[in-house]
Amino acid sequence: MKRLEALYEGKAKILYATDDPDRLVQYFKDDASAFNGIKKGTIVDKGVINNQFSTRIFRFLEENGVATHFVDHLSDREMLVKNLKIIPVEVVLRNVAAGSLTKRLGIKEGQPLDPPILEFYYKDDELGDPMINESHVAAFGWATAQQVETLKALGRKVNHLLIDFFKSRKILLVDFKLEFGVDKDGQVLLGDEISPDGCRLWHWDTHEKMDKDRFRFGLGSVEEKYQEVYHMVCGDP
Ligand code: TMP
């Protein structure tokens, strides 16, 4: 398998073509951005951590019946993935109030959400990923009605699995974002990455933030907390 030209460069990753049209290399950068690109910076070795972290989570989800784009962990910063047609709808699951939910609805951070909240956002950087609902997805043809049902079912299943996965490692899964795509056979697969960049992860006992909120809000010890949460998830039990 040979890595060829870059097809797409995002804020945190680069996707490269390979000599197999069904396979891409997903390269993890150290670049970090927040508030729709207004705040930019670097988190040293974030790319290495997010690649390992995502690999661990994708393997766990595959073992539990969730189909993902993950194929192989190639190197520190490279993951081999299936080539998907990305569905431009981000699925956010929330178990505890934080972030935009607290602002939008005036809810106190830390309030448990039972049942968990599932939201859709339109994947468009220029628009700042606005919140949408199923009617928008249908009217603009971003996904079929059947795909929407799959996104909801997979979102809830992944949440259910990851709550316990993280709890057993003393981490509270506050919220997270998923992206999906369609493979060459028309199957909806979980794509992108699952890492402290796109999840809120709090220490189970202290509720200390161990995710990108440390960078977003200048809380300090960003690299240290990425390392710590990485070891809690990927280290020896
Ligand atoms: P929010 O509170 O800012 O709406 O984010 C909810 C969770 O989803 C949080 O863990 C961050 C993640 N997220 C992203 O990583 N990218 C996005 O574009 C969105 C909308 C959310």
Side-chain angles (χ1 to χ4, degrees):
M1 203 279 311
K2 236 171 94 183
R3 190 175 107 177
L4 303 175
E5 77 278 8
L7 299 175
Y8 167 81
E9 178 156 6
K11 287 174 276 193
K13 294 188 295 296
I14 306 171
L15 280 176
Y16 292 94
T18 72
D19 48 8
D20 178 346
D22 291 329
R23 296 284 182 270
L24 302 178
V25 170
Q26 178 162 258
Y27 179 94
F28 290 76
K29 303 192 283 184
D30 286 351
D31 298 350
S33 70
F35 310 118
N36 199 28
I38 290 170
K39 178 168 180 168
K40 288 197 174 93
T42 300
I43 302 174
V44 177
D45 283 344
K46 172 171 84 76
V48 179
I49 289 174
N50 285 359
N51 188 20
Q52 286 275 7
F53 197 103
S54 294
T55 295
R56 181 72 190 89
I57 304 279
F58 281 140
R59 286 191 169 135
F60 166 74
L61 292 174
E62 290 275 356
E63 285 161 16
N64 286 279
V66 178
T68 78
H69 71 157
F70 176 81
V71 178
D72 201 3
H73 183 270
L74 294 177
S75 71
D76 267 3
R77 292 175 184 277
E78 292 174 313
M79 178 187 285
L80 187 64
V81 296
K82 293 175 185 161
N83 190 0
L84 302 183
K85 185 173 184 296
I86 294 298
I87 297 172
V89 176
E90 300 184 343
V91 182
V92 168
L93 274 298
R94 300 179 187 272
N95 300 306
V96 176
S100 67
L101 178 84
T102 59
K103 278 203 195 138
R104 195 167 51 244
L105 299 178
I107 307 288
K108 200 168 174 291
E109 182 180 86
Q111 181 179 313
L113 304 169
D114 188 16
I117 293 173
L118 184 149
E119 298 169 343
F120 289 143
Y121 291 83
Y122 180 47
K123 186 174 157 58
D124 186 311
D125 284 343
E126 277 184 28
L127 297 175
D129 299 330
M131 192 180 185
I132 53 171
N133 65 30
E134 287 178 44
S135 335
H136 300 91
V137 180
F140 300 115
W142 292 324
T144 65
Q146 201 186 349
Q147 286 170 342
V148 169
E149 290 311 309
T150 304
L151 298 188
K152 290 195 289 187
L154 285 175
R156 294 205 172 96
K157 178 170 183 177
V158 168
N159 188 37
H160 186 68
L161 289 166
L162 290 186
I163 286 173
D164 288 343
F165 175 91
F166 283 115
K167 185 178 179 184
S168 69
R169 290 158 175 83
K170 291 221 152 237
I171 298 166
L172 176 65
L173 178 60
V174 170
D175 59 32
F176 60 101
K177 182 251 323 180
L178 299 175
E179 294 186 27
F180 295 88
V182 182
D183 71 6
K184 62 178 189 335
D185 305 317
Q187 194 191 356
V188 174
L189 304 184
L190 179 60
D192 196 47
E193 66 180 300
I194 300 186
S195 73
D197 273 15
C199 303
R200 285 197 173 91
L201 304 167
W202 293 358
H203 193 286
W204 188 269
D205 296 327
T206 62
H207 282 193
E208 184 178 33
K209 294 177 168 59
M210 310 187 76
D211 53 61
K212 203 166 109 180
D213 270 356
R214 301 205 74 86
F215 169 79
R216 290 189 188 100
F217 300 110
L219 302 179
S221 307
V222 183
E223 276 91 358
E224 288 83 349
K225 291 299 156 189
Y226 266 70
Q227 289 283 352
E228 198 178 325
V229 79
Y230 158 71
H231 284 295
M232 288 168 81
V233 166
C234 301
D236 293 331

